[in-house]
Amino acid sequence: MKIGIIGAGNIGGNLTRRLTALGHDVSVANSRGPGTLTALAEETGATPVPVEEAARGAEVVVVTIPLKAVPGLPSGLFDEAAEGVVVIDTGNYYPRQRDGRIAGIEDEGLTESRWTARQLGRTVVKAFNGTYAQDLLDRHRPAGAPDRTALPVAADDESAKQVVRDLIDELGFDTVDAGSLDDSWRQQPGTPVYGLQEGADAVTKALAEAPRERPADFRA
């Protein structure tokens, strides 16, 4: 597939490494411009592009930037994407550590990915938000392996969710259906599944045990 990645930090960089190794056509962008991505491009064969061009022709776009930066993404970002483009949101709300107070999350009670979807003007699939970046390189396993890690995936669009689940399976991880974007609070920071390095049964259990109230450390 043609995949665009917006954000070349730990998650974005390692997804670039794995997805190119699997043969996908990857374009990668960051806020500092394509000239800062030369080393990653040489390592992986990915194409560094400006953010404005990251979704051009893409069937999947991964948005993996600080939540506070999402409203600053270019308007019309997805205008030249492939029809039916699937957008993956890896973001987390860290009000005290990074993002400041976001009213839609704090006052309206929106889940982080529901808020992100509103900013982007299109639905998203929440995935990879509780994944350690190094695990993408070190913990992938073939299907059926007893120590295969599972990742939760939430979305409103079932077909988009399936595209992402299939991609994660190709990356070497099982998935658990975590429901809709309104259910995605179950995998936000501070929940039992966040950072969990276990299989599907443990992930399913952790999602079910998530407390509805956002932990104090993750409130403004």
Side-chain angles (χ1 to χ4, degrees), residues 1 3 14-26 44 136 140 166-173:
M1 287 191 293
I3 298 174
N14 283 351
L15 281 174
T16 299
R17 292 178 176 93
R18 291 296 322 287
L19 291 168
T20 52
L22 290 168
H24 295 286
D25 178 4
V26 177
T44 64
L136 294 170
H140 55 91
D166 290 346
L167 189 62
I168 292 172
D169 177 63
E170 187 182 356
L171 285 164
F173 301 88

Side-chain angles (χ1 to χ4, degrees), residues 93-126:
Y93 178 44
Y94 300 121
R96 300 186 182 191
Q97 302 92 332
R98 182 189 65 193
D99 297 312
R101 190 179 194 278
I102 295 178
I105 295 173
E106 297 282 353
D107 300 337
E108 297 181 52
L110 297 177
T111 61
E112 295 161 9
S113 285
R114 176 70 68 198
W115 179 85
T116 296
R118 283 192 181 183
Q119 308 311 305
L120 297 177
R122 62 179 55 235
T123 195
V124 301
V125 179
K126 188 176 188 73

Side-chain angles (χ1 to χ4, degrees), residues 30 32-39 48-50:
N30 68 4
R32 295 176 295 149
T36 66
L37 296 170
T38 302
V49 295

Side-chain angles (χ1 to χ4, degrees), residues 112-164:
E112 295 161 9
S113 285
R114 176 70 68 198
W115 179 85
T116 296
R118 283 192 181 183
Q119 308 311 305
L120 297 177
R122 62 179 55 235
T123 195
V124 301
V125 179
K126 188 176 188 73
F128 302 111
N129 73 291
T131 307
Y132 293 106
Q134 194 61 33
D135 286 357
L136 294 170
L137 302 183
D138 297 343
R139 294 183 69 91
H140 55 91
R141 301 288 187 272
D147 60 344
R148 206 181 202 217
T149 303
L151 309 182
V153 181
D156 294 340
D157 183 324
E158 291 300 322
S159 62
K161 183 189 288 182
Q162 192 59 55
V163 168
V164 176

